[in-house]
Each structure stands twice: as C-alpha cells, then as structure tokens.
Amino acid sequence: LTDLQLNISSNLLPSIDVSSIEVEYESANARSFMKNDSSDSSKYRLLNDTLKIWIPSNPRGAERLPPAIIEAESDFYLRRLWGQPSEDLTSKPNYLVTFTVGHDQKHNIDAAVKKFSGNFTILLFHYDGRTTEWDEFEWSKQAIHVSVRKQTKWWYAKRFLHPDIVAPYDYIFLWDEDLGVEHFNAEEYLRLVRKHGLEISQPGLEPNNGLTWQMTKRRGDREVHKETEEKPGWCSDPHLPPCAAFVEIMAPVFSRDAWRCVWHMIQNDLVHGWGLDFALRKCVEPAHEKIGVVDSQWIIHQSIPSLGNQGESNSGEAPWQGVRERCRKEWTMFQSRVASAENAYYKAVGIDLFNSTNP
C-alpha cells in the first residue's frame, strides 16, 4: 500500500486520505482483537487470517473477492466517457443480432438490419477487415464492430459471445450475411417463438432457393413446424434430426438459456460449425418440442460464397473448394468428439452402452 500511496497523484484522489484509512482500519481491528493482551502476537496473526477472503462459490479465480463486488455478467451496451454511470443508458435492448460480414454484402446487411427494431443490439463481425466504410449507414454508428480477418461466425461466437457477456439478451440471432429478409419481421418472429415455446429456432426458407434439408423448408399453411419427413430411411426416430429437433446453422436463434449450453459445445478449433446443427438438441429438453422453424416469418438463402472465397487455392482448386473440404473434415471430427465424450461419461458412471437395456 505504501508504493500505491507514493504513485497515486493527489489530484486524482483529492478527497481520499489513503494513509489515514489504512491506519484507522488496522488500529481499530487490532484493538478489537488485542485489547486484552497487546503482547500476544498469535492473536494478531489470527486477525490477519480472519480477514482473508476465500469464497469457493465465487466464479473461478475470484474466490478472494467479497461476493458483493463481483460483476460476473456484462453486456454490449454503449456507455459515455462522462457524466453519471446511472444516466448513461436511455434504453436497454432485449435482444442481440449478429452478422458475420464482408464489405461486398453491405447493402444486403443494411436491408437486414432495418428489419430489427431499436430493441436489438446490432453486432457485426468483419472477416475482411473493412469497417469504416459502414459508417455511411446511420445505424452502423451505434452498432458494435469486431474486425478479425478471415474468420467464421463460430470463431467469433466462441470468443466474443460468452454467455456471461450476452446474459442481458433474451434471444441471440447468429446469422449469415446472405439472407433475404423481405418477408421477415423480427418482433413478430419472436412473438411466435414465445407462443410455440421454441428455445432454438430459425425462419423458414423459401422452398426454391438454397434449400438443403426438408426440415427448414417453409410451409405456407402454418405459423411454426417442429418435424418433417426427410428422405426415406434418413430418420431412425421421428423425434431426431434431421426430421425433428433440428435447424441449420445459417440463421439460428437461441434463447438465453439454450445459448449458455450451445456456447460450451462450440469447439475452439472447429470453426465452420458443420455438425453442430445435429447436436443442438442436446441443449434443450424435450428437443423435438423446443426446436422448430417459424414458417410465417421466412427468409431466402442467397447462397453467396463470399466467406468461402476468402480461402486459399491449393493444387489448382478454387479457394472455396478448400474451405468446403475443411467443413466436411470438421463435421467428422465433431461427431467423433461428441461420441467419445459421451462414451467416456457413461463409462465413468457405470453404464455400458453396448449391453445396456436402457432406452
């Protein structure tokens, strides 16, 4: 504390006498413990031990802090450099929408952002390093911009969307940049998500554009669907992906609680997210009821390989081909990791998966 006193400028702390606080604190506590026997040094050591803080229930690494000072959660709310902190925010958005973007798609993103009200925090992940050009849009000046070259949205999500950072938001949209939103309204979408009890969801996809799975195909006769019929033999169980409990990774929407689980599932080194959509069901229960597609608020997948073109050519192949090959490899690796982790868990608790009669 002596070094601290010597280095803190008096004009920074004009009303605080650090030395007097130290003396008063130590003398008062020492008197209370030692007034009956000032020569007993063991009591003074007891004083020091008693004043040490160790709270095992605190967040890891913060065990030495008094619980009342810990701010375990944060947010993306912009704050001023002046005035009273309590007066910084005129509103607190309830939802977060992220887009992973390149400058070439700025007008597409401009159209998408305008579908989200002021009740949304806008967060852009820039994979091409170009951020200042977005200032032509007024909304961009209040958006959060994170710029790291040639990374995917799952790389960004793992590093910048920790559950304790996005805790204030009821829902988190983790969207690609090549989505047409002419038929989409974010507030109405969330109304339907709540109405149908969806923890993980996505808008329906226009049937004739960029469709991979029947589950995500828009149905024109309902608000939401939670199951489908895929190709014959693809689903051993009608409640399992890709026939149910399934959305794709291009435009997922997560509740706060679901995201807290999904974030932990995202692998640090597997950046494309392939295979993750088949595993999302592990984060909600019952998954076939809490994962679904919102049909009446639908989008168009434009299938623009902009991020894919950020790859490098290898052996004469186009850059996107190398990216696609890694996507496939990561899917296999992710499946293997999930299976190994689950097998290790069941073995640790004494369950033999190969001989078990449990369903």
Side-chain angles (χ1 to χ4, degrees), residues 69-218:
I69 197 60
I70 294 174
E71 291 288 342
E73 298 178 349
S74 189
D75 55 60
F76 287 117
Y77 301 145
L78 301 182
R79 295 187 173 274
R80 305 174 303 175
L81 304 180
W82 64 94
Q84 292 292 334
S86 61
E87 299 173 355
D88 284 348
L89 304 177
T90 57
S91 65
K92 293 183 178 181
N94 293 322
Y95 317 116
L96 174 68
V97 57
T98 78
F99 294 96
T100 301
V101 304
H103 182 259
D104 290 345
Q105 301 304 319
K106 67 176 183 176
H107 293 294
N108 202 46
I109 294 298
D110 177 51
V113 167
K114 289 175 179 175
K115 292 290 185 173
F116 294 88
S117 69
N119 208 13
F120 288 81
T121 294
I122 307 298
L123 170 56
L124 300 188
F125 297 126
H126 298 269
Y127 61 74
D128 61 356
R130 300 176 66 179
T131 59
T132 56
E133 294 95 329
W134 292 78
D135 281 350
E136 69 178 86
F137 305 118
E138 193 62 31
W139 56 261
S140 177
K141 299 173 184 177
Q142 297 299 315
I144 310 297
H145 297 264
V146 175
S147 178
V148 185
R149 293 177 181 272
K150 297 190 177 184
Q151 300 303 318
T152 73
K153 71 177 179 182
W154 300 106
W155 185 94
Y156 295 114
K158 189 63 175 178
R159 289 152 182 82
F160 298 103
L161 298 181
H162 188 281
D164 289 344
I165 299 297
V166 300
Y169 303 105
D170 295 338
Y171 293 93
I172 297 99
F173 290 63
L174 200 63
W175 280 22
D176 290 350
E177 62 181 340
D178 59 341
L179 304 176
V181 294
E182 181 181 353
H183 306 281
F184 179 82
N185 178 281
E187 296 283 0
E188 176 62 13
Y189 179 90
L190 290 179
R191 185 188 72 81
L192 294 171
V193 162
R194 288 189 174 96
K195 175 182 176 181
H196 293 274
L198 301 179
E199 296 290 320
I200 300 175
S201 64
Q202 75 160 79
L205 294 179
E206 158 59 41
N208 299 318
N209 294 84
L211 187 69
T212 302
W213 303 99
Q214 290 298 309
M215 178 63 187
T216 57
K217 178 179 178 180
R218 179 178 73 92

Side-chain angles (χ1 to χ4, degrees), residues 226-277:
K226 301 179 182 180
E227 58 185 28
T228 191
E229 291 184 9
E230 198 42 76
K231 297 180 176 129
W234 279 41
C235 297
S236 58
D237 187 324
H239 287 168
L240 293 180
C243 290
F246 178 77
V247 297
E248 293 187 74
I249 59 174
M250 73 178 71
V253 180
F254 303 95
S255 72
R256 180 194 296 109
D257 290 341
W259 178 249
R260 185 166 289 277
C261 173
V262 171
W263 184 88
H264 286 282
M265 188 190 299
I266 299 171
Q267 303 292 286
N268 190 58
D269 58 330
L270 306 184
V271 297
H272 288 290
W274 278 37
L276 189 65
D277 37 15

